Amino acid sequence: MNKALKIGLIVIVLLLILNFLVYTTARYGWKLFGFKYCQDVGILHVKEIVLDEDYIILRGNIGASTPAFVGYIYKIEDGKLYVGLKYNLLFGFKERLGNFEVAVNANKNDISEIYLKDKDKEKLIYKKQ
């Protein structure tokens, strides 16, 4: 194999690795920063809340149709469930409808309130009667 071919293969492999790293960081790297990069709660709409003994499911959508839901994070603190949603305009390839479905492993008896959360605000979406 000549030198130019080796250099070409190395460049191709490095570009593939770089592409993978950019995609993975954009898709999942935001979780390292907690709720800092979560979607603004003002434009999120929860349509359904399912409370079960083993899990809590939230279904809803965002006010815009172009961003794609790429993931969520959650935190349970003092009986309150905080959920942060992430949408991405560029790297959300699967579905562009703006819908989300979140399933959290938590017992409904342990949760008294559920909030959507971003870096600055919280939005109460459920309060136990």
mmCIF file of all heavy atoms in Angstrom, residues 32-57:
data_model
loop_
_atom_site.group_PDB
_atom_site.id
_atom_site.type_symbol
_atom_site.label_atom_id
_atom_site.label_comp_id
_atom_site.label_asym_id
_atom_site.label_seq_id
_atom_site.Cartn_x
_atom_site.Cartn_y
_atom_site.Cartn_z
ATOM 1 N N LEU A 32 -24.926 15.691 30.933
ATOM 2 C CA LEU A 32 -23.871 15.920 31.908
ATOM 3 C C LEU A 32 -24.060 17.223 32.679
ATOM 4 O O LEU A 32 -23.502 17.402 33.753
ATOM 5 C CB LEU A 32 -22.505 15.948 31.207
ATOM 6 C CG LEU A 32 -22.081 14.668 30.504
ATOM 7 C CD1 LEU A 32 -20.804 14.899 29.719
ATOM 8 C CD2 LEU A 32 -21.909 13.545 31.511
ATOM 9 N N PHE A 33 -24.862 18.139 32.144
ATOM 10 C CA PHE A 33 -25.038 19.458 32.737
ATOM 11 C C PHE A 33 -26.369 19.605 33.471
ATOM 12 O O PHE A 33 -26.822 20.712 33.745
ATOM 13 C CB PHE A 33 -24.921 20.531 31.650
ATOM 14 C CG PHE A 33 -23.596 20.508 30.953
ATOM 15 C CD1 PHE A 33 -23.456 19.857 29.739
ATOM 16 C CD2 PHE A 33 -22.498 21.111 31.525
ATOM 17 C CE1 PHE A 33 -22.236 19.822 29.102
ATOM 18 C CE2 PHE A 33 -21.268 21.076 30.891
ATOM 19 C CZ PHE A 33 -21.135 20.428 29.680
ATOM 20 N N GLY A 34 -27.014 18.490 33.791
ATOM 21 C CA GLY A 34 -28.280 18.546 34.518
ATOM 22 C C GLY A 34 -29.372 19.183 33.677
ATOM 23 O O GLY A 34 -29.523 18.892 32.497
ATOM 24 N N PHE A 35 -30.103 20.101 34.262
ATOM 25 C CA PHE A 35 -31.242 20.725 33.590
ATOM 26 C C PHE A 35 -30.853 21.968 32.785
ATOM 27 O O PHE A 35 -31.720 22.620 32.216
ATOM 28 C CB PHE A 35 -32.310 21.095 34.630
ATOM 29 C CG PHE A 35 -32.906 19.902 35.314
ATOM 30 C CD1 PHE A 35 -32.458 19.491 36.556
ATOM 31 C CD2 PHE A 35 -33.923 19.183 34.709
ATOM 32 C CE1 PHE A 35 -33.011 18.381 37.188
ATOM 33 C CE2 PHE A 35 -34.480 18.078 35.339
ATOM 34 C CZ PHE A 35 -34.024 17.677 36.569
ATOM 35 N N LYS A 36 -29.573 22.273 32.726
ATOM 36 C CA LYS A 36 -29.111 23.520 32.097
ATOM 37 C C LYS A 36 -29.529 23.649 30.633
ATOM 38 O O LYS A 36 -29.868 24.728 30.167
ATOM 39 C CB LYS A 36 -27.592 23.635 32.220
ATOM 40 C CG LYS A 36 -27.035 24.920 31.680
ATOM 41 C CD LYS A 36 -25.549 25.020 31.925
ATOM 42 C CE LYS A 36 -25.027 26.337 31.383
ATOM 43 N NZ LYS A 36 -23.596 26.458 31.607
ATOM 44 N N TYR A 37 -29.499 22.579 29.881
ATOM 45 C CA TYR A 37 -29.808 22.641 28.448
ATOM 46 C C TYR A 37 -31.179 22.049 28.107
ATOM 47 O O TYR A 37 -31.447 21.734 26.948
ATOM 48 C CB TYR A 37 -28.714 21.954 27.643
ATOM 49 C CG TYR A 37 -27.405 22.684 27.740
ATOM 50 C CD1 TYR A 37 -26.342 22.177 28.470
ATOM 51 C CD2 TYR A 37 -27.249 23.915 27.124
ATOM 52 C CE1 TYR A 37 -25.152 22.862 28.579
ATOM 53 C CE2 TYR A 37 -26.061 24.614 27.233
ATOM 54 C CZ TYR A 37 -25.015 24.081 27.959
ATOM 55 O OH TYR A 37 -23.837 24.780 28.076
ATOM 56 N N CYS A 38 -32.046 21.923 29.081
ATOM 57 C CA CYS A 38 -33.384 21.384 28.836
ATOM 58 C C CYS A 38 -34.274 22.436 28.183
ATOM 59 O O CYS A 38 -34.061 23.632 28.326
ATOM 60 C CB CYS A 38 -34.013 20.901 30.143
ATOM 61 S SG CYS A 38 -33.208 19.428 30.782
ATOM 62 N N GLN A 39 -35.297 21.949 27.509
ATOM 63 C CA GLN A 39 -36.234 22.797 26.776
ATOM 64 C C GLN A 39 -36.988 23.725 27.718
ATOM 65 O O GLN A 39 -37.348 23.323 28.824
ATOM 66 C CB GLN A 39 -37.220 21.916 26.013
ATOM 67 C CG GLN A 39 -38.148 22.659 25.105
ATOM 68 C CD GLN A 39 -37.413 23.324 23.959
ATOM 69 O OE1 GLN A 39 -36.560 22.721 23.335
ATOM 70 N NE2 GLN A 39 -37.733 24.566 23.686
ATOM 71 N N ASP A 40 -37.250 24.936 27.265
ATOM 72 C CA ASP A 40 -38.049 25.903 28.028
ATOM 73 C C ASP A 40 -39.409 25.291 28.340
ATOM 74 O O ASP A 40 -40.126 24.858 27.435
ATOM 75 C CB ASP A 40 -38.204 27.179 27.207
ATOM 76 C CG ASP A 40 -39.085 28.217 27.871
ATOM 77 O OD1 ASP A 40 -39.252 28.171 29.102
ATOM 78 O OD2 ASP A 40 -39.609 29.083 27.153
ATOM 79 N N VAL A 41 -39.782 25.273 29.610
ATOM 80 C CA VAL A 41 -41.026 24.624 30.024
ATOM 81 C C VAL A 41 -42.263 25.391 29.577
ATOM 82 O O VAL A 41 -43.366 24.839 29.564
ATOM 83 C CB VAL A 41 -41.074 24.394 31.553
ATOM 84 C CG1 VAL A 41 -39.970 23.457 31.973
ATOM 85 C CG2 VAL A 41 -41.006 25.704 32.312
ATOM 86 N N GLY A 42 -42.112 26.634 29.189
ATOM 87 C CA GLY A 42 -43.259 27.441 28.775
ATOM 88 C C GLY A 42 -43.932 26.961 27.503
ATOM 89 O O GLY A 42 -45.108 27.233 27.286
ATOM 90 N N ILE A 43 -43.208 26.238 26.650
ATOM 91 C CA ILE A 43 -43.794 25.785 25.387
ATOM 92 C C ILE A 43 -44.071 24.279 25.363
ATOM 93 O O ILE A 43 -44.422 23.734 24.338
ATOM 94 C CB ILE A 43 -42.923 26.185 24.187
ATOM 95 C CG1 ILE A 43 -41.528 25.581 24.273
ATOM 96 C CG2 ILE A 43 -42.842 27.683 24.054
ATOM 97 C CD1 ILE A 43 -40.681 25.819 23.046
ATOM 98 N N LEU A 44 -43.924 23.623 26.518
ATOM 99 C CA LEU A 44 -44.198 22.192 26.615
ATOM 100 C C LEU A 44 -45.616 21.966 27.128
ATOM 101 O O LEU A 44 -46.076 22.664 28.031
ATOM 102 C CB LEU A 44 -43.203 21.517 27.567
ATOM 103 C CG LEU A 44 -41.749 21.531 27.121
ATOM 104 C CD1 LEU A 44 -40.855 21.021 28.239
ATOM 105 C CD2 LEU A 44 -41.558 20.708 25.870
ATOM 106 N N HIS A 45 -46.296 20.992 26.543
ATOM 107 C CA HIS A 45 -47.668 20.676 26.909
ATOM 108 C C HIS A 45 -47.772 19.189 27.256
ATOM 109 O O HIS A 45 -47.457 18.343 26.430
ATOM 110 C CB HIS A 45 -48.627 20.989 25.755
ATOM 111 C CG HIS A 45 -48.475 22.369 25.227
ATOM 112 N ND1 HIS A 45 -48.943 23.473 25.892
ATOM 113 C CD2 HIS A 45 -47.870 22.825 24.109
ATOM 114 C CE1 HIS A 45 -48.651 24.561 25.194
ATOM 115 N NE2 HIS A 45 -47.997 24.187 24.108
ATOM 116 N N VAL A 46 -48.219 18.908 28.465
ATOM 117 C CA VAL A 46 -48.420 17.520 28.890
ATOM 118 C C VAL A 46 -49.876 17.152 28.646
ATOM 119 O O VAL A 46 -50.775 17.819 29.136
ATOM 120 C CB VAL A 46 -48.051 17.325 30.377
ATOM 121 C CG1 VAL A 46 -48.345 15.900 30.814
ATOM 122 C CG2 VAL A 46 -46.589 17.671 30.606
ATOM 123 N N LYS A 47 -50.092 16.099 27.865
ATOM 124 C CA LYS A 47 -51.446 15.665 27.527
ATOM 125 C C LYS A 47 -51.942 14.543 28.425
ATOM 126 O O LYS A 47 -53.138 14.393 28.632
ATOM 127 C CB LYS A 47 -51.496 15.193 26.076
ATOM 128 C CG LYS A 47 -51.242 16.293 25.072
ATOM 129 C CD LYS A 47 -51.315 15.737 23.668
ATOM 130 C CE LYS A 47 -51.112 16.843 22.651
ATOM 131 N NZ LYS A 47 -51.156 16.348 21.292
ATOM 132 N N GLU A 48 -51.011 13.735 28.933
ATOM 133 C CA GLU A 48 -51.419 12.576 29.720
ATOM 134 C C GLU A 48 -50.357 12.261 30.768
ATOM 135 O O GLU A 48 -49.163 12.313 30.495
ATOM 136 C CB GLU A 48 -51.604 11.370 28.797
ATOM 137 C CG GLU A 48 -52.049 10.118 29.479
ATOM 138 C CD GLU A 48 -52.195 8.943 28.529
ATOM 139 O OE1 GLU A 48 -51.739 9.022 27.376
ATOM 140 O OE2 GLU A 48 -52.777 7.938 28.959
ATOM 141 N N ILE A 49 -50.827 11.945 31.974
ATOM 142 C CA ILE A 49 -49.950 11.488 33.051
ATOM 143 C C ILE A 49 -50.495 10.153 33.536
ATOM 144 O O ILE A 49 -51.656 10.055 33.926
ATOM 145 C CB ILE A 49 -49.914 12.495 34.218
ATOM 146 C CG1 ILE A 49 -49.391 13.845 33.746
ATOM 147 C CG2 ILE A 49 -49.058 11.950 35.363
ATOM 148 C CD1 ILE A 49 -49.471 14.938 34.788
ATOM 149 N N VAL A 50 -49.667 9.124 33.477
ATOM 150 C CA VAL A 50 -50.045 7.789 33.933
ATOM 151 C C VAL A 50 -49.237 7.488 35.189
ATOM 152 O O VAL A 50 -48.013 7.486 35.159
ATOM 153 C CB VAL A 50 -49.758 6.718 32.854
ATOM 154 C CG1 VAL A 50 -50.101 5.332 33.375
ATOM 155 C CG2 VAL A 50 -50.500 7.029 31.571
ATOM 156 N N LEU A 51 -49.938 7.245 36.287
ATOM 157 C CA LEU A 51 -49.291 6.914 37.556
ATOM 158 C C LEU A 51 -49.558 5.449 37.872
ATOM 159 O O LEU A 51 -50.700 5.018 37.924
ATOM 160 C CB LEU A 51 -49.854 7.795 38.675
ATOM 161 C CG LEU A 51 -49.678 9.292 38.474
ATOM 162 C CD1 LEU A 51 -50.522 10.057 39.467
ATOM 163 C CD2 LEU A 51 -48.230 9.677 38.591
ATOM 164 N N ASP A 52 -48.485 4.697 38.082
ATOM 165 C CA ASP A 52 -48.604 3.275 38.373
ATOM 166 C C ASP A 52 -47.719 2.958 39.581
ATOM 167 O O ASP A 52 -46.974 3.804 40.058
ATOM 168 C CB ASP A 52 -48.170 2.463 37.142
ATOM 169 C CG ASP A 52 -48.576 1.010 37.227
ATOM 170 O OD1 ASP A 52 -49.692 0.728 37.698
ATOM 171 O OD2 ASP A 52 -47.761 0.155 36.840
ATOM 172 N N GLU A 53 -47.803 1.732 40.039
ATOM 173 C CA GLU A 53 -46.999 1.324 41.193
ATOM 174 C C GLU A 53 -45.508 1.312 40.882
ATOM 175 O O GLU A 53 -44.689 1.507 41.775
ATOM 176 C CB GLU A 53 -47.442 -0.069 41.666
ATOM 177 C CG GLU A 53 -48.857 -0.130 42.172
ATOM 178 C CD GLU A 53 -49.087 0.724 43.408
ATOM 179 O OE1 GLU A 53 -48.192 0.843 44.251
ATOM 180 O OE2 GLU A 53 -50.188 1.295 43.517
ATOM 181 N N ASP A 54 -45.136 1.064 39.638
ATOM 182 C CA ASP A 54 -43.725 0.910 39.283
ATOM 183 C C ASP A 54 -43.166 2.009 38.386
ATOM 184 O O ASP A 54 -41.957 2.100 38.219
ATOM 185 C CB ASP A 54 -43.511 -0.433 38.570
ATOM 186 C CG ASP A 54 -43.875 -1.607 39.461
ATOM 187 O OD1 ASP A 54 -43.605 -1.521 40.673
ATOM 188 O OD2 ASP A 54 -44.425 -2.590 38.951
ATOM 189 N N TYR A 55 -44.024 2.817 37.796
ATOM 190 C CA TYR A 55 -43.534 3.826 36.861
ATOM 191 C C TYR A 55 -44.511 4.984 36.738
ATOM 192 O O TYR A 55 -45.678 4.878 37.090
ATOM 193 C CB TYR A 55 -43.266 3.212 35.486
ATOM 194 C CG TYR A 55 -44.468 2.534 34.875
ATOM 195 C CD1 TYR A 55 -45.387 3.259 34.133
ATOM 196 C CD2 TYR A 55 -44.698 1.176 35.050
ATOM 197 C CE1 TYR A 55 -46.506 2.646 33.580
ATOM 198 C CE2 TYR A 55 -45.809 0.566 34.513
ATOM 199 C CZ TYR A 55 -46.707 1.305 33.778
ATOM 200 O OH TYR A 55 -47.816 0.702 33.241
ATOM 201 N N ILE A 56 -43.997 6.069 36.216
ATOM 202 C CA ILE A 56 -44.790 7.259 35.900
ATOM 203 C C ILE A 56 -44.507 7.591 34.447
ATOM 204 O O ILE A 56 -43.335 7.675 34.036
ATOM 205 C CB ILE A 56 -44.418 8.430 36.814
ATOM 206 C CG1 ILE A 56 -44.800 8.084 38.256
ATOM 207 C CG2 ILE A 56 -45.097 9.715 36.364
ATOM 208 C CD1 ILE A 56 -44.304 9.061 39.288
ATOM 209 N N ILE A 57 -45.556 7.764 33.664
ATOM 210 C CA ILE A 57 -45.400 8.087 32.241
ATOM 211 C C ILE A 57 -45.990 9.464 31.978
ATOM 212 O O ILE A 57 -47.094 9.764 32.419
ATOM 213 C CB ILE A 57 -46.091 7.042 31.346
ATOM 214 C CG1 ILE A 57 -45.425 5.686 31.517
ATOM 215 C CG2 ILE A 57 -46.049 7.477 29.880
ATOM 216 C CD1 ILE A 57 -46.079 4.575 30.733
#
